[in-house]
Amino acid sequence: MPIPEDVTGDEIDKDVRQELQSLPKTLADDVARNLVMVARLLDEDPEGAYGYSRVALRLASRVAAVREAAGFAAYASQKYGEALAEFRAAKRMTGNIDLWPVMADCERGLGRPEKALDMAGAPEVHKLDKAGQVEMRLVAAGARRDMGQLDAAIVTLQSPELAANSVQPWTARLRYAYADALLAAGREGEAREWFAKAVEADRDGSTDASDRLAELDGVEFVDAMVEDEDEEAPAPRKADESETDAEGGDDKD
């Protein structure tokens, strides 16, 4: 796959670059450039990112960072079985437990919420950092909802992290998930309160909490482009008598 000339491979994380040092330099550079493209496209073009990840995987399948990147590209493309296999491979290579929550979410994607819940209760969870534990809680709550257990999902999300006033990287998503679960359970007033709290914490627009809040408040958004087009469109002009006569012809003879 073509790679823009401005992509050198130096843009990747230094830890990943260090992993690639086990490869010949030319090969390492090729892999690095493909990994940069995966990172660039992951959010906006998951299928494109997936394509570059497959190239990197073909070149360096024994590098854990490559397996992890391939896993995230497959996950973003909703290829959950493939993503899970890549995450497992990366975990085997490094012994790193950080991928545990996203592995559990792959189980959800494969229609196995019970397996995701088993993983949420596994000893590995205690080895996760705070961000990982919150992520695991979100996955577990999602699994509960998959199984139709709304009340259990709400309880799962109730935690010190949810109640904390300080804003952390996970705060907006946690509050959003809680609000969404409350709304699904018919607790609209509480849901509105928590969507508002999610908006307060969502400094980078990672959720659509503001839209959900506006929807609950009955606010309707009008597409400005459509409105402008309507305003600029000229009204149909009535033909005057001279035009009518011209079209009909003059039959006074």
Side-chain angles (χ1 to χ4, degrees):
M1 296 179 69
I3 297 176
E5 291 183 4
D6 66 314
V7 175
T8 65
D10 293 333
E11 301 90 341
I12 61 171
D13 184 86
K14 62 180 182 179
D15 292 336
V16 176
R17 170 61 73 178
Q18 191 170 359
E19 278 194 63
L20 295 178
Q21 286 180 355
S22 62
L23 304 173
K25 187 179 186 311
T26 303
L27 180 59
D29 289 343
D30 286 345
V31 174
R33 295 179 74 216
N34 278 282
L35 292 181
V36 170
M37 293 306 298
V38 173
R40 277 193 182 184
L41 298 176
L42 195 60
D43 293 332
E44 295 180 3
D45 181 11
E47 287 296 333
Y50 176 76
Y52 285 105
S53 77
R54 300 308 296 176
V55 175
L57 197 58
R58 189 167 65 247
L59 295 173
S61 62
R62 294 185 180 181
V63 176
V66 171
R67 303 302 289 264
E68 185 173 327
F72 277 110
Y75 177 78
S77 302
Q78 299 184 359
K79 298 174 175 66
Y80 298 115
E82 195 172 317
L84 185 57
E86 297 301 339
F87 289 143
R88 283 174 174 165
K91 180 176 173 292
R92 280 196 304 272
M93 291 175 174
T94 64
N96 195 328
I97 208 66
D98 292 351
L99 294 170
W100 196 252
V102 72
M103 289 168 65
D105 206 39
C106 286
E107 295 288 1
R108 284 186 61 212
L110 291 167
R112 302 192 293 243
E114 297 89 350
K115 177 63 177 173
L117 285 177
D118 287 345
M119 292 179 70
E124 284 84 351
V125 176
H126 300 296
K127 301 175 185 176
L128 295 169
D129 61 14
K130 181 62 69 177
Q133 289 179 7
V134 170
E135 197 64 39
M136 193 73 248
R137 191 177 291 277
L138 287 166
V139 172
R144 291 291 185 191
R145 290 190 64 171
D146 294 343
M147 298 165 69
Q149 300 173 2
L150 273 175
D151 289 341
I154 290 169
V155 171
T156 298
L157 293 167
Q158 292 170 345
S159 61
E161 293 80 19
L162 179 68
N165 290 323
S166 61
V167 174
Q168 303 294 335
W170 59 77
T171 304
R173 291 176 59 239
L174 186 58
R175 292 176 179 179
Y176 182 95
Y178 189 59
D180 195 45
L182 289 168
L183 188 60
R187 295 161 62 176
E188 188 171 313
E190 293 171 87
R192 191 207 172 283
E193 176 188 345
W194 281 96
F195 276 127
K197 289 183 178 181
V199 171
E200 291 174 6
D202 194 359
R203 294 166 182 170
D204 58 359
S206 62
T207 74
D208 65 347
S210 58
D211 292 343
R212 300 292 299 277
L213 183 61
E215 187 180 324
L216 284 173
D217 288 342
V219 176
E220 291 186 11
F221 294 99
V222 178
D223 190 324
M225 294 295 292
V226 173
E227 192 176 58
D228 289 345
E229 287 173 7
D230 290 344
E231 288 177 359
E232 291 172 8
R237 188 166 60 89
K238 291 183 180 180
D240 58 29
E241 290 181 2
S242 61
E243 287 176 324
T244 305
D245 291 343
E247 289 173 2
D250 190 355
D251 50 12
K252 290 180 183 178
D253 266 344

